[in-house]
Amino acid sequence: AQTVTQSQPEMSVQEAETVTLSCTYDTSESDYYLFWYKQPPSRQMILVIRQEAYKQQNATENRFSVNFQKAAKSFSLKISDSQLGDAAMYFCAYRRWQGGSEKLVFGKGTKLTVNP
Amino acid sequence: GAGVSQTPSNKVTEKGKYVELRCDPISGHTALYWYRQSLGQGPEFLIYFQGTGAADDSGLPNDRFFAVRPEGSVSTLKIQRTERGDSAVYLCASSLKALGSGETQYFGPGTRLLVL
């Protein structure tokens, strides 16, 4: 079964600094998709970044980038030049495709605090 | 609309009552998903619709839970004989299509259900 593990329940970073959130996953599939979602107190899950497993190049979106290590099944998120608005819960998710069904499997999340 | 909308935003009910939670997906999105997020956890998959049909309802916890999407757009999650353990945030998401394409799922703001 696919599982997603986020080993850091909480992280903090100073404004303008860089922080890395960890995520590991377990799968027997060779082709899959990985996502990072941000959930502020408003509850809305917002896509931060996605990575296709068949792509060797790490995905980047402005200040957000990932370090995708396929062999190690690791998918960490790096936030550069942290801003106060980055404070939120961050969830790593694995896209599971099986038997005609598609679903996301989420980790338990990491709460990120940004200190001014 | 511009995004996924869910109503009501909050719902308080008494144990044993029946509740309906509504989801309006992004226009044109054929795939629709329901997830449940308990306190301190990541979202967990409940059910996936492709068009009008439930392609995968394996995440529904028991037969008190049921969901419909009669016209392939709006979906309603129905919970009978609610229990205190049903208290959670119910999230809806939609994507342009599924079928193994890895399309991004866009989430609504959720409905917070509290069963007293």
Side-chain angles (χ1 to χ4, degrees):
Chain A
Q2 286 84 4
T3 59
V4 177
T5 302
Q6 294 179 250
S7 59
Q8 307 151 316
E10 296 188 28
M11 291 283 284
S12 63
V13 63
Q14 291 296 126
E15 196 175 4
E17 297 293 308
T18 295
V19 64
T20 299
L21 308 184
S22 300
C23 173
T24 59
Y25 58 93
D26 184 28
T27 182
S28 57
E29 295 180 321
S30 58
D31 188 21
Y32 48 88
Y33 299 81
L34 296 163
F35 303 84
W36 278 98
Y37 280 90
K38 168 186 176 181
Q39 187 178 43
S42 66
R43 294 198 308 249
Q44 182 121 26
M45 299 282 281
I46 302 165
L47 177 70
V48 175
I49 200 166
R50 59 176 277 158
Q51 174 81 41
E52 292 85 353
Y54 63 86
K55 290 186 177 179
Q56 294 185 341
Q57 187 173 7
N58 289 325
T60 62
E61 285 289 344
N62 301 313
R63 298 182 295 106
F64 299 87
S65 62
V66 299
N67 183 3
F68 174 49
Q69 301 288 330
K70 190 172 184 179
K73 297 180 182 176
S74 170
F75 182 60
S76 60
L77 174 70
K78 185 171 84 171
I79 306 174
S80 304
D81 185 25
S82 297
Q83 300 176 1
L84 295 177
D86 294 334
M89 286 292 296
Y90 285 81
F91 290 95
C92 177
Y94 171 99
R95 189 292 312 256
R96 179 178 178 182
W97 167 248
Q98 184 179 45
S101 173
E102 178 159 333
K103 66 188 76 168
L104 293 176
V105 178
F106 287 88
K108 291 188 175 183
T110 296
K111 181 179 180 181
L112 178 65
T113 301
V114 181
N115 300 310
Chain B
V4 179
S5 61
Q6 292 186 246
T7 54
S9 179
N10 297 280
K11 176 71 176 177
V12 181
T13 190
E14 295 179 343
K15 179 176 179 294
K17 298 290 188 182
Y18 168 83
V19 297
E20 288 189 352
L21 311 179
R22 176 188 168 107
C23 172
D24 253 296
I26 293 172
S27 178
H29 281 195
T30 59
L32 185 145
Y33 314 79
W34 284 97
Y35 293 84
R36 179 167 72 174
Q37 186 176 21
S38 300
L39 194 63
Q41 302 294 317
E44 293 182 321
F45 170 81
L46 294 177
I47 187 168
Y48 151 58
F49 287 90
Q50 183 62 250
T52 60
D56 182 358
D57 64 359
S58 62
L60 295 178
N62 51 60
D63 60 6
R64 295 186 299 104
F65 289 75
F66 188 72
V68 295
R69 194 186 185 200
E71 298 179 356
S73 179
V74 171
S75 176
T76 304
L77 178 65
K78 308 180 180 190
I79 310 174
Q80 298 177 322
R81 304 183 303 280
T82 51
E83 300 177 356
R84 292 191 180 89
D86 298 335
S87 296
V89 174
Y90 290 81
L91 296 167
C92 176
S94 70
S95 68
L96 192 56
K97 61 182 184 296
L99 304 176
S101 61
E103 290 282 344
T104 296
Q105 294 184 23
Y106 296 91
F107 283 79
T111 294
R112 182 181 299 279
L113 175 66
L114 178 61
V115 182
L116 300 176

